[in-house]
């Protein structure tokens, strides 16, 4: 995980892509203590209110059985969230 983000989010199970982008759902879960479903609802509200965030999200399918496409973002977008 990026060093700057480590300072904001302690070592966790946040999934990262090969190019260092973070699972936005995982980040919201860690910061708020909400379930994955609730974190997804939070993200939807954020996307409706912030074009800057929604424009910088991309979908990534992590390895593993039953994985779905997950919104991921770089550090600037994560900080904006």
């Amino acid at each position: 995980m990026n060093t700057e983000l480590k300072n904001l989010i302690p070592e966790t199970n946040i999934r990262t892509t090969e190019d260092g982008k973070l699972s936005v759902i995982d980040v919201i879960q860690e910061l708020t203590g909400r379930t994955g479903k609730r974190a997804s609802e939070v993200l939807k509200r954020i996307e409706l209110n912030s074009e800057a965030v929604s424009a910088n999200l991309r979908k990534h399918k992590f390895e593993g059985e039953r994985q779905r496409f997950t919104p991921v973002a770089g550090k600037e977008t994560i900080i904006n969230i």
Side-chain angles (χ1 to χ4, degrees):
M1 186 184 300
N2 182 304
T3 304
E4 291 175 48
L5 289 175
K6 275 188 176 181
N7 293 333
L8 294 174
I9 304 168
E11 200 59 41
T12 62
N13 293 323
I14 294 174
R15 294 171 290 172
T16 59
T17 64
E18 301 78 31
D19 60 349
K21 294 191 178 354
L22 303 174
S23 163
V24 178
I25 299 298
D26 293 354
V27 170
I28 293 171
Q29 282 182 276
E30 288 296 324
L31 294 176
T32 65
R34 295 179 183 252
T35 64
K37 181 178 179 180
R38 297 290 182 222
S40 180
E41 292 169 359
V42 168
L43 177 59
K44 285 178 186 174
R45 285 195 307 270
I46 292 169
E47 287 183 275
L48 287 173
N49 293 307
S50 176
E51 288 183 32
V53 169
S54 59
N56 289 305
L57 296 178
R58 71 175 174 87
K59 301 286 185 180
H60 180 81
K61 189 170 184 179
F62 291 98
E63 290 186 28
E65 190 175 321
R66 300 177 54 202
Q67 291 293 314
R68 301 179 195 169
F69 282 95
T70 303
V72 296
K75 70 175 185 178
E76 292 84 14
T77 303
I78 294 293
I79 291 168
N80 285 331
I81 291 172

